[in-house]
Amino acid sequence: MASWQWFHRLGSPRWFYEKTGAWLPWLNAVALILLVVGTSWALAFSPEDAKQGNSYRIIHIHVPAAFLALAGYYVMAISGAVGLIWRMKLAFMVMKSAAPIGAALTFVSLVTGAIWGKPTWGTWWVWDARITSMLILLFLYLGIMALQSALQIRETADKACAILALVGTVNIPIIYKSVDWWYTLHQPATLKLTSAPSIHASMLYPLLTMIVAFYVFYAAVLIAYTRYEILRREARTGWVRDLVASRTGEAR
């Protein structure tokens, strides 16, 4: 019973807003430190690759962005499912907030992949299975954002976007397994849970640092977006009016 009470309390927009206010400064600080350390480590101390030279260093942006593009889609889809099943307003707010962040990360992944592909493959773009499925992921994110904006009734928009997000999850395992299922120029995964990493420790550790940095950064941005969405949707509630009034009074 206690666990269900905690679950429903977490679904309260007011509870989430009040609790997460104290988290953001810490998340921002940790993300900034990790990004600075990871970037400096990758650019200044990590050795040059024997085959790819210095062009491989872009993986420190490309790989974390790709990881978060996939993981962020699951965050969005699961939030939509929670909203559909338990009718939690906060879940739909998280779903909506996750879409533009995921779209931005997917775009960064595609652009950095193209920059890496030019010196490695001799071309900016190929209709490779991995790249094409990532492009589909970008369209899914953009489609959810467009659908959210097109439908005027909020409840209808939330449900429609949640259904689209859930349907789109079929693309995630396709992205992950594309290099194994089809002939592809894209190299196999460098990091796997089932086997040792195929990258030297001197390159692995800064990459892992950047991955953790991106995850912390993602959490901070998602919380910030969700807090904004809470204020926007709950603008007519008493607690938001009191909050705005208190801040206006402080500003004076």
Side-chain angles (χ1 to χ4, degrees):
M1 182 64 71
S3 61
W4 278 107
Q5 290 177 350
W6 178 88
F7 179 73
H8 284 284
R9 186 183 301 168
L10 182 62
S12 165
R14 179 177 181 178
W15 184 89
F16 180 89
Y17 187 90
E18 291 175 349
K19 291 296 181 182
T20 55
W23 302 354
L24 279 177
W26 292 98
L27 288 172
N28 291 333
V30 172
L32 179 61
I33 292 170
L34 288 173
L35 285 170
V36 171
V37 171
T39 303
S40 302
W41 197 350
L43 295 180
F45 300 101
S46 185
E48 183 177 331
D49 185 77
K51 295 182 178 180
Q52 300 180 32
N54 285 314
S55 65
Y56 92 95
R57 298 184 192 277
I58 202 167
I59 70 169
H60 297 91
I61 301 297
H62 174 73
V63 171
F67 277 14
L68 263 298
L70 302 183
Y73 195 92
Y74 277 128
V75 169
M76 183 178 65
I78 292 172
S79 299
V82 170
L84 287 174
I85 296 170
W86 286 285
R87 298 183 180 180
M88 288 187 176
K89 294 187 295 182
L90 180 61
F92 286 129
M93 296 177 193
V94 172
M95 177 192 69
K96 182 179 179 182
S97 301
I101 306 172
L105 287 166
T106 307
F107 180 77
V108 169
S109 176
L110 289 168
V111 170
T112 53
I115 295 172
W116 174 83
K118 180 59 176 177
T120 306
W121 297 336
T123 181
W124 296 99
W125 182 272
V126 292
W127 290 102
D128 173 273
R130 171 65 62 83
I131 300 173
T132 303
S133 53
M134 282 295 292
L135 182 62
I136 293 172
L137 180 67
L138 176 62
F139 290 154
L140 284 169
Y141 275 124
L142 295 177
I144 289 170
M145 294 168 60
L147 186 61
Q148 187 73 240
S149 300
L151 297 177
Q152 299 299 319
I153 302 175
R154 180 181 298 163
E155 291 77 11
T156 303
D158 286 339
K159 291 178 181 178
C161 290
I163 293 171
L164 177 58
L166 288 170
V167 171
T169 55
V170 70
N171 189 48
I172 305 302
I174 292 175
I175 294 173
Y176 182 74
K177 299 296 291 184
S178 58
V179 294
D180 300 321
W181 289 347
W182 296 289
Y183 171 76
T184 173
L185 285 175
H186 199 286
Q187 67 187 53
T190 302
L191 304 177
K192 292 184 178 181
L193 296 176
T194 56
S195 61
S198 59
I199 182 173
H200 192 269
S202 60
M203 303 176 181
L204 172 64
Y205 294 139
L207 177 58
L208 291 177
T209 302
M210 289 298 289
I211 291 172
V212 175
F214 266 64
Y215 270 91
V216 177
F217 174 75
Y218 177 86
V221 175
L222 180 61
I223 289 173
Y225 263 71
T226 304
R227 285 166 59 84
Y228 167 77
E229 187 65 18
I230 288 172
L231 293 180
R232 195 179 71 84
R233 293 196 181 197
E234 301 285 294
R236 296 182 180 180
T237 61
W239 73 271
V240 172
R241 290 180 178 178
D242 293 340
L243 178 65
V244 173
S246 65
R247 290 185 176 180
T248 304
E250 292 175 0
R252 292 176 181 176

